[in-house]
Amino acid sequence: MKNFFLLLPFCLLGLVGPAAAQVTRPLSKLVFHDVDHNRFTAKDLPANTALLLLYFRTDCDDCRHTAQIVGQTAGQYPLTIWMVSPNDEETLGVFEYMTGLDKARNVRVLRDDQDIMHQLFDFQALPFCVLFDKSGREIKTYDYFPKPETIKKDLGE
């Protein structure tokens, strides 16, 4: 019986731990700039629209390939896509044009000039994606660019 009382706190911690350890990262902490130096925050998202944040670098081969896929398939996604990078505006502007992202109506190429993505998220791979639902709640992270079917399923659509 003594052992039961000694183990009880650890059992309870195991039941509560994962839920309590879940970190919420509100959209209000996201502040980026587009290639024209305009500031973008959660207030700039269309109302009642989910968001997929895609962190990339222009010198990353997988990221360049992903950007081409985004440019070709963006219209199939039921959300806004913010492609965020630490690269400078001039480099991002050329990248946006060369990959056709400037023609995708639901895609914004943005600069993370304050290193916000690295402050908020622990990721090792590029590209890295974070899905937020229509209410701004973080749903899931991905170490790849998810297909439209995956996004719809994860959003419960």
Side-chain angles (χ1 to χ4, degrees), residues 10-67:
F10 295 106
C11 293
L12 292 175
L13 183 61
L15 294 174
V16 177
Q22 184 177 0
V23 177
T24 58
R25 293 171 274 254
L27 286 176
S28 62
K29 291 188 177 188
L30 303 177
V31 179
F32 306 117
H33 293 89
D34 69 6
V35 296
D36 296 320
H37 307 285
N38 297 312
R39 187 172 190 245
F40 273 80
T41 68
K43 293 177 185 174
D44 296 301
L45 285 169
N48 297 314
T49 303
L51 171 68
L52 182 66
L53 274 181
L54 190 158
Y55 187 82
F56 75 102
R57 292 186 59 88
T58 59
D59 58 354
C60 161
D61 288 337
D62 288 340
C63 299
R64 283 194 300 270
H65 178 71
T66 297

Side-chain angles (χ1 to χ4, degrees), residues 10-153:
F10 295 106
C11 293
L12 292 175
L13 183 61
L15 294 174
V16 177
Q22 184 177 0
V23 177
T24 58
R25 293 171 274 254
L27 286 176
S28 62
K29 291 188 177 188
L30 303 177
V31 179
F32 306 117
H33 293 89
D34 69 6
V35 296
D36 296 320
H37 307 285
N38 297 312
R39 187 172 190 245
F40 273 80
T41 68
K43 293 177 185 174
D44 296 301
L45 285 169
N48 297 314
T49 303
L51 171 68
L52 182 66
L53 274 181
L54 190 158
Y55 187 82
F56 75 102
R57 292 186 59 88
T58 59
D59 58 354
C60 161
D61 288 337
D62 288 340
C63 299
R64 283 194 300 270
H65 178 71
T66 297
Q68 291 173 339
I69 292 170
V70 172
Q72 296 166 359
T73 64
Q76 299 173 24
Y77 287 82
L79 45 66
T80 296
I81 301 171
W82 282 2
M83 294 186 62
V84 181
S85 174
N87 295 102
D88 64 78
E89 285 88 353
E90 184 178 343
T91 302
L92 289 176
V94 171
F95 184 84
E96 181 179 35
Y97 175 77
M98 296 300 289
T99 56
L101 294 169
D102 59 329
K103 294 175 180 64
R105 63 172 178 72
N106 61 330
V107 176
R108 285 279 186 191
V109 176
L110 303 170
R111 180 164 189 239
D112 182 7
D113 54 0
Q114 297 176 11
D115 206 26
I116 291 170
M117 291 293 289
H118 281 288
Q119 292 172 25
L120 294 177
F121 303 99
D122 181 28
F123 59 95
Q124 305 299 317
L126 290 179
F128 172 75
C129 298
V130 184
L131 177 63
F132 292 89
D133 69 9
K134 293 176 182 182
S135 66
R137 186 174 51 102
E138 182 182 330
I139 300 297
K140 191 169 183 178
T141 61
Y142 311 88
D143 288 333
Y144 59 92
F145 181 62
K147 294 184 179 194
E149 301 79 31
T150 302
I151 292 293
K152 289 174 184 175
K153 180 181 155 239

